[in-house]
Amino acid sequence: MEIPIENVIKKAGQRMKDIREIFYPAMDITEDGELLHIYLDLPGFRKEDIKILTTKTGLKVSGSRKKEYEGRLVYEERVNEFSKFIRIMSEFDSDSVIAKMDNGVLTITVKRKEIKNVTIS
């Protein structure tokens, strides 16, 4: 029995797509005092393709793009859209969230609220 190579490629591609959706986009987070810096690798996405929403517990970053091809698509690995929730474990000021896109890397800076000790009298 002969199986067309296109079917094998599609099945392998679907498995990879399922795995990729869990881990995509790649992300690093650093902290610098009260600032958190979040870096997401988003090659091929433009800043107009991306949305960032703030919630009480974190940030939801999502994006969608249109890909154009020449010829018939045989195998697809690049992601058209993504959605990632980034939980921030301390209170933060949603008005202080800054985002910039440079060379396919989205950088989000978040200012955490100061934690104050309360003196008991």
Side-chain angles (χ1 to χ4, degrees):
M1 179 172 138
E2 191 173 310
I3 300 174
I5 189 67
E6 291 170 346
N7 289 346
V8 173
I9 291 173
K10 283 182 183 178
K11 285 183 183 182
Q14 183 59 46
R15 286 191 190 113
M16 287 303 296
K17 185 177 179 184
D18 293 342
I19 292 168
R20 218 177 25 256
E21 287 175 354
I22 295 169
F23 297 105
Y24 190 85
M27 176 176 68
D28 295 324
I29 300 176
T30 63
E31 64 179 341
D32 180 17
E34 62 187 15
L35 297 178
L36 287 177
H37 304 284
I38 303 163
Y39 306 92
L40 293 107
D41 287 342
L42 297 169
F45 282 86
R46 300 170 304 145
K47 65 182 182 179
E48 297 83 12
D49 299 331
I50 300 167
K51 288 184 190 176
I52 302 170
L53 301 173
T54 61
T55 69
K56 287 184 177 183
T57 58
L59 303 171
K60 180 182 179 189
V61 182
S62 59
S64 178
R65 67 178 171 179
K66 184 177 181 181
K67 296 187 290 187
E68 296 182 18
Y69 303 102
E70 292 182 24
R72 183 175 64 95
L73 180 65
V74 177
Y75 178 76
E76 181 179 42
E77 215 176 84
R78 297 183 309 149
V79 176
N80 290 339
E81 54 187 42
F82 71 93
S83 180
K84 187 166 199 134
F85 184 77
I86 304 163
R87 183 172 303 280
I88 298 177
M89 299 307 285
S90 59
E91 281 192 57
F92 67 97
D93 183 4
S94 62
D95 292 331
S96 74
V97 176
I98 299 169
K100 67 177 184 172
M101 186 77 154
D102 187 34
N103 288 329
V105 177
L106 175 65
T107 303
I108 304 170
T109 303
V110 177
K111 183 177 181 181
R112 295 183 286 190
K113 288 187 178 179
E114 183 181 340
I115 299 174
K116 298 178 184 177
N117 286 321
V118 176
T119 306
I120 302 172
S121 55

